[in-house]
Amino acid sequence: MKYVFINGKVLTGHENMVPEEKVIFVENGVISKIEDYGAGTAGYKVIDLGGKYIMPGLINMHIHIPASGKPKKGKTNYDALAKLLKFGVVRAVIKKMCASYIQDELLSGTTTVRAVGGVLDFDTDLRDKINDGKALGPRILAANYAISVPGGHMTGTVALPAHSVEEAVQMVEDLDKYKPDHIKLMITGGVLDAVVPGEPGVLKMPPEYVKAACDKAHELGYKVAAHVESNEGMVVALKNGVDTIEHGGKSSEETTALFKEKGAALISTISPALPFAVMDQAVTGLSDTDLINGKALYENIIDGVKAALAAGIPVGLGTDVGCPYITHYNMWRELVFYTKCCNVSNAFALYSATLLNATIAGIDKITGSIDMGKSADLIVTEGNPLEDLHTLRDVKMVMFKGKMIDNSKLKKMPEVEKALDLVESRI
């Protein structure tokens, strides 16, 4: 189908975007022409936007596909989950859940996701089915399972442990068989698996493991993303070849210098840290240790983002879907939190979630902005997100690779929406 969008206000996704009165032509899945009002539309299906705003689909740089974000009390028993994964029926159920969850990303206006830790090879399997038209979902940049260490972050679920340098290298080679889009390392601990106050950012993966895994990944043509929640972890990650720091921590002159020297980027994930920091403990069910660690992580992430922005280090945005209260349909909230917590403009937040995220991911020639020749990954909102990002909460139209997507079936969790609205009011 050939489409032409008329009477819309175009936000291109570029850093200094302002609403433009343009006509957008879509043909063979790509943006074929962008012309001034009044351009001829013969041969195209006309979509009259009636003054609505059209922009690139959002890009979520940090998700875990096999989880919904539905809140639960108490810690997850990772050992028990790892044992369950040995059963074929369990794996089949998880695959079905992944296919359902990933649809919510697309229906809510996120047309590209970067999966950074999943179950076995499920991420690449789902990516390939979507690419082949056998499943509905956004563009997936897949990692499959992350590489961790015994006792490391998420070991047994979305990460598997390396017991030696040689095994870390072998795991990268094993992942290469599935042709992932990047490799993920779990270098430090995390809030949800910490057992003592102050533990989330404790270094878990030895530096020599990090270097060996990064060297092999780079040799095979992959960039490396790393879960890191401390300055110590960032130093180890950056010195040994990691390309993107996921989450981050309180910054230092050394980490700033390393970011610049290595050309690395920071992926901010404010969404999962905020509930720990501002929600009532009675509601979240967090232990005292979780609360202490969560608040510290939130403060350190904000410190790290502000330091990176001040130093001109690229900062991408992701939600860390799978953490409690973090769903597959709330990428728009990460933009809101970014503006409120880090003092950036709505325009900069929208640019960060589109073209800048695409650039960090290495797909800016394909998507991320409204430019001729790029994939027709487009969303439409009633209002102007440059004035109010909340208009992204209710996306009126979604197009992915030139195909119109029926997003009327998106279902949300009312209890989560209510809780997150309260979180925002407390920032």
Side-chain angles (χ1 to χ4, degrees), residues 166-199:
E166 293 75 18
E167 192 168 347
V169 172
Q170 185 60 54
M171 290 173 75
V172 174
E173 292 177 339
D174 290 343
L175 284 163
D176 179 52
K177 297 172 185 177
Y178 302 101
K179 300 305 173 188
D181 298 286
H182 50 271
I183 301 296
K184 173 71 180 296
L185 305 180
M186 300 293 197
I187 292 180
T188 73
V191 170
L192 295 179
D193 50 27
V195 295
V196 297
E199 190 185 42

Side-chain angles (χ1 to χ4, degrees), residues 62-120:
H62 191 113
I63 76 165
H64 300 282
I65 299 175
S68 67
K70 185 177 181 179
K72 57 186 176 182
K73 294 185 178 181
K75 290 184 178 294
T76 299
N77 187 327
Y78 296 116
D79 290 337
L81 283 175
K83 291 177 181 178
L84 286 173
L85 285 173
K86 295 179 181 179
F87 296 96
V89 65
V90 173
R91 294 197 297 272
V93 168
I94 294 175
K95 276 195 172 186
K96 187 174 182 180
M97 290 166 59
C98 288
S100 174
Y101 294 157
I102 200 63
Q103 289 184 24
D104 286 348
E105 295 277 354
L106 182 59
L107 299 184
S108 62
T110 298
T111 52
T112 299
V113 300
R114 183 167 166 263
V116 283
V119 174
L120 303 175

Side-chain angles (χ1 to χ4, degrees), residues 309-355:
L309 291 172
I313 295 164
V315 177
L317 303 182
T319 60
D320 203 3
V321 176
C323 290
Y325 297 96
I326 312 307
T327 72
H328 281 286
Y329 56 78
N330 268 333
M331 176 61 186
W332 70 273
R333 288 190 186 272
E334 185 69 19
L335 281 68
V336 172
F337 297 156
Y338 193 36
T339 61
K340 288 179 173 289
C341 297
C342 300
N343 302 318
V344 302
S345 68
N346 288 0
F348 188 78
L350 188 59
Y351 156 69
S352 300
T354 53
L355 184 55

Side-chain angles (χ1 to χ4, degrees), residues 122-166:
F122 293 4
D123 289 357
T124 53
D125 180 67
L126 186 53
R127 175 199 66 188
D128 295 344
K129 286 178 179 176
I130 291 171
N131 289 344
D132 292 341
K134 297 177 180 178
L136 177 66
R139 178 182 295 102
I140 297 177
L141 304 178
N144 286 339
Y145 61 84
I147 301 172
S148 190
V149 293
H153 187 55
M154 303 302 289
T155 294
T157 54
V158 298
L160 299 178
H163 299 81
S164 65
V165 168
E166 293 75 18

Side-chain angles (χ1 to χ4, degrees), residues 158-408:
V158 298
L160 299 178
H163 299 81
S164 65
V165 168
E166 293 75 18
E167 192 168 347
V169 172
Q170 185 60 54
M171 290 173 75
V172 174
E173 292 177 339
D174 290 343
L175 284 163
D176 179 52
K177 297 172 185 177
Y178 302 101
K179 300 305 173 188
D181 298 286
H182 50 271
I183 301 296
K184 173 71 180 296
L185 305 180
M186 300 293 197
I187 292 180
T188 73
V191 170
L192 295 179
D193 50 27
V195 295
V196 297
E199 190 185 42
V202 168
L203 187 65
K204 298 285 187 176
M205 183 175 284
E208 58 269 26
Y209 285 39
V210 179
K211 185 178 188 308
C214 287
D215 286 349
K216 176 53 67 173
H218 292 156
E219 177 188 322
L220 295 172
Y222 301 117
K223 287 189 175 182
V224 180
H227 166 98
V228 177
E229 293 185 1
S230 68
N231 185 66
E232 178 189 19
M234 287 194 289
V235 170
V236 168
L238 293 168
K239 280 186 174 180
N240 290 287
V242 165
D243 300 288
T244 62
I245 299 293
E246 313 294 312
H247 316 301
K250 193 173 182 64
S251 192
S252 67
E253 290 184 3
E254 183 179 17
T255 51
T256 297
L258 283 168
F259 266 112
K260 290 189 170 184
E261 176 189 341
K262 304 295 184 178
L266 174 65
I267 307 302
S268 172
T269 56
I270 299 172
S271 291
L274 264 175
F276 290 107
V278 305
M279 288 180 68
D280 294 333
Q281 193 173 358
V283 175
T284 62
L286 295 175
S287 67
D288 291 340
T289 295
D290 289 339
L291 189 63
I292 292 170
N293 289 333
K295 286 185 175 180
L297 176 61
Y298 167 70
E299 293 170 358
N300 290 341
I301 283 179
I302 299 304
D303 177 272
V305 170
K306 288 182 176 179
L309 291 172
I313 295 164
V315 177
L317 303 182
T319 60
D320 203 3
V321 176
C323 290
Y325 297 96
I326 312 307
T327 72
H328 281 286
Y329 56 78
N330 268 333
M331 176 61 186
W332 70 273
R333 288 190 186 272
E334 185 69 19
L335 281 68
V336 172
F337 297 156
Y338 193 36
T339 61
K340 288 179 173 289
C341 297
C342 300
N343 302 318
V344 302
S345 68
N346 288 0
F348 188 78
L350 188 59
Y351 156 69
S352 300
T354 53
L355 184 55
L356 180 56
N357 270 356
T359 302
I360 293 171
I363 55 172
D364 52 302
K365 302 297 183 184
I366 299 171
T367 190
S369 64
I370 296 181
D371 287 302
M372 286 178 55
K374 287 195 176 183
S375 180
D377 304 337
L378 306 169
I379 61 175
V380 174
T381 60
E382 189 74 40
N384 182 2
L386 302 187
E387 297 177 353
D388 184 1
L389 289 167
H390 292 82
T391 191
L392 291 165
R393 183 176 197 157
D394 182 22
V395 173
K396 300 302 180 183
M397 186 182 298
V398 178
M399 172 176 278
F400 177 53
K401 294 184 178 180
K403 294 182 179 180
M404 299 298 297
I405 306 299
D406 177 10
N407 66 339
S408 63

